[in-house]
Amino acid sequence: MNGLIYFAAAAILWTAFAAQVPSLWHNWRDPLKRALCAVIFLAGFCFALGAPPTVGFVNRTLGVPNAAACVTYGAVNAFSAASLVLIILWRGADSPAQLRRTSRSWLIAYAVIIVAQSALFAAGDAPVERRTDFDTYYAGTPFIREMIVLYLVAHMAAAVTTTALCWRWTRRISGWTRRALAVLAVGWLCTSAYGVVKMVAVAGHWSGHHWDPLSTRLAPMLVTVGAALTSAGYVLPLLGPRIDSLVAFLRLGPLFRLVGSGNSRNSRNALLSWRSLGDVELRLTHRTTAIRDGIRDVSVHFDEAVRERAYRQALSLGSSAGEAEAIGDAAMVAVAALTGTHDRAGGLDPAVLDGVALDAIAGFTGGYTGPEAGGQTLDTGQPSLIRMSRAVRAGVVESAVRAERAKSRQMW
């Protein structure tokens, strides 16, 4: 189990990095994409370097006791700099030139810090290898002490700055970006706590106290949680819209099966398989188009009386005005779909037709305006279609279809 948690965290982060590689390859000139990939890769690199087995391997390979500490400190500060640059690029500025200047300033500052750390390590004397408690063991050693303090101060400065920037920014935006920033703020708060705990343990040695467990047990837990949250926060804006599209795609399922699945032009592309999850936005567009085409095809059978009856019945059963309106629209579309099926089928038994319709019932943003019904337009914008799709399963809609079935039997 020695080092397992470090390697597991690194594996998760590098898996996220691998998922970004194709996009990075095609958008190499995008500074935001480069910064995002650098942050995720460096976060995993820091965990891999911090694992005790890796510490021993690096020390043996370089032939210098505790050289891994210097390398790890440099990687952590590189991660801090990349994170600051990413937040700056993500937030934007008045001009591209200002963005470049600010990003370059942070990168230069942390590059100087990394060089200074290396110089202090070279000037100091740390002959005894310490894989887990280097900070506290050498807290009183000249030059090494300064190196440790410089590392912790630089790391905490980046963590506190990023936490404050994320928290302030959450008040100005909404949606997935706000959720991502909230997660980032909590993650960087944990990372800030990691630095504070480490510093307390180091300062304890200066005053004669031995608080090593703070540095060797609590601090790794805090930084693990912090790194997981910050990585998730950086990825959320990329995954969030796809999650929304997937949810909308699934919610449109009942309405699609009712009026869209028979449209050969769009129904094939409107289906979703595991291999097509990456194209869920395109599939959602196809499904929405298939539904709109289906509604247009059955619009000649729209009956305003059906919608009005369903609307009033839904209100009487306690539905809100918005819910009742969606139920009324769904009932009118379902009855129109059944009527259209009957007309196309000719001499088929109406019970069979009704069974097909009832099976279908059970089984985006926009202001698109669709076919007319009784002089009124039917809103087929994506939000309205989703509400209508949810209403397809309502008992009022099934009652309207059963009434149409009874009417068809009388005609036969």
Side-chain angles (χ1 to χ4, degrees), residues 3-28:
L4 181 60
I5 188 171
Y6 292 89
F7 291 130
I12 293 171
L13 290 163
W14 280 341
T15 299
F17 171 76
Q20 295 297 319
V21 168
S23 179
L24 176 64
W25 179 264
H26 294 292
N27 300 280
W28 175 250

Side-chain angles (χ1 to χ4, degrees), residues 84-300:
L84 282 168
V85 169
L86 178 57
I87 291 295
I88 292 167
L89 293 173
W90 199 2
R91 187 177 184 181
D94 295 335
S95 68
Q98 183 181 353
L99 272 178
R100 286 192 296 270
R101 284 195 302 270
T102 306
S103 300
R104 193 179 298 116
S105 298
W106 281 113
L107 290 175
I108 291 173
Y110 274 84
V112 170
I113 289 171
I114 292 171
V115 171
Q117 287 176 176
S118 302
L120 288 169
F121 179 77
D125 184 24
V128 180
E129 183 185 64
R130 309 301 298 184
R131 297 190 179 186
T132 59
D133 62 346
F134 176 86
D135 304 23
T136 51
Y137 188 86
Y138 288 105
T141 303
F143 296 111
I144 302 297
R145 173 185 58 220
E146 286 75 13
M147 168 195 169
I148 295 169
V149 171
L150 178 60
Y151 152 69
L152 291 174
V153 169
H155 183 57
M156 284 191 293
V160 171
T161 301
T162 307
T163 302
L165 287 174
C166 292
W167 185 252
R168 284 206 302 263
W169 195 11
T170 57
R171 304 176 184 179
R172 304 177 186 177
I173 56 176
S174 60
W176 279 104
T177 304
R178 181 174 184 176
R179 298 183 192 123
L181 286 169
V183 173
L184 280 171
V186 176
W188 277 106
L189 187 62
C190 291
T191 305
S192 302
Y194 157 84
V196 172
V197 167
K198 281 272 191 181
M199 185 63 80
V200 169
V202 169
H205 273 262
W206 299 343
S207 59
H209 298 86
H210 296 281
W211 296 333
D212 292 20
L214 292 177
S215 177
T216 59
R217 297 182 183 179
L218 180 57
M221 292 172 56
L222 288 171
V223 77
T224 300
V225 174
L229 289 174
T230 52
S231 299
Y234 288 129
V235 173
L236 268 180
L238 304 176
L239 296 181
R242 291 190 177 186
I243 294 173
D244 286 340
S245 296
L246 178 60
V247 171
F249 181 92
L250 297 174
R251 286 179 174 175
L252 286 172
L255 189 58
F256 170 74
R257 289 188 289 273
L258 181 64
V259 297
S261 58
N263 192 319
S264 60
R265 289 169 294 178
N266 297 300
S267 60
R268 181 178 299 177
N269 289 329
L271 299 176
L272 181 67
S273 66
W274 287 111
R275 289 181 297 180
S276 64
L277 283 175
D279 298 326
V280 65
E281 293 92 347
L282 181 60
R283 300 285 169 168
L284 174 60
T285 300
H286 283 304
R287 173 162 284 192
T288 304
T289 302
I291 291 172
R292 286 171 177 163
D293 289 345
I295 290 176
R296 186 192 61 221
D297 291 343
V298 302
S299 63
V300 294

Side-chain angles (χ1 to χ4, degrees), residues 345-390:
L348 290 180
D349 182 75
V352 175
L353 302 177
D354 295 330
V356 172
L358 288 173
D359 286 343
I361 291 173
F364 292 19
T365 57
Y368 182 88
T369 300
E372 294 188 356
Q376 300 182 22
T377 58
L378 183 66
D379 183 4
T380 53
Q382 194 181 100
S384 296
L385 290 180
I386 290 175
R387 289 192 294 269
M388 196 187 309
S389 184
R390 188 184 303 119

Side-chain angles (χ1 to χ4, degrees), residues 290-341:
I291 291 172
R292 286 171 177 163
D293 289 345
I295 290 176
R296 186 192 61 221
D297 291 343
V298 302
S299 63
V300 294
H301 303 290
F302 281 173
D303 187 347
E304 181 63 27
V306 172
R307 176 157 67 176
E308 184 65 22
R309 284 195 301 270
Y311 172 77
R312 294 188 178 281
Q313 186 178 355
L315 285 177
S316 67
L317 293 174
S319 298
S320 66
E323 292 171 343
E325 193 172 313
I327 289 172
D329 290 342
M332 182 177 66
V333 170
V335 169
L338 178 61
T339 304
T341 304

